[in-house]
Amino acid sequence: MRQYSWTLMKPGAVPTVGLGTISEVESAIHRCQLKGIPSASWLVQELRKRQDLAGAAHYTHSMGKPDEWRFAWIEIQI
């Protein structure tokens, strides 16, 4: 089963971490109500496109600005 270990990082805040399937990650992103993206499914698709051969991907929103946040994951096999 493919699962993703993920981290949401916002400056000045404790990182939020989780583990789950693609649909569980998408639900978690939706619950986080991240500003600046069209939808949680859009971010999942972006991460899938950016995923490297090791299964890692990351997305940064508004680097260096007050509304900056970063989301990263790595695919793991269970």
Side-chain angles (χ1 to χ4, degrees), residues 30-50:
H30 180 74
R31 285 191 306 273
C32 291
Q33 299 180 343
L34 300 172
K35 296 184 190 258
I37 59 171
S39 66
S41 62
W42 178 88
L43 181 55
V44 167
Q45 291 298 3
E46 275 299 304
L47 291 163
R48 285 181 138 173
K49 284 191 253 179
R50 297 171 183 218

Side-chain angles (χ1 to χ4, degrees), residues 3-7 18-20 72-76:
Q3 297 230 341
Y4 295 82
S5 175
W6 59 268
T7 306
L19 176 69
W73 77 19
I74 188 159
E75 183 180 346
I76 56 176

Side-chain angles (χ1 to χ4, degrees), residues 9-22:
M9 298 154 281
K10 294 180 179 180
V14 175
T16 304
V17 297
L19 176 69
T21 63
I22 282 286

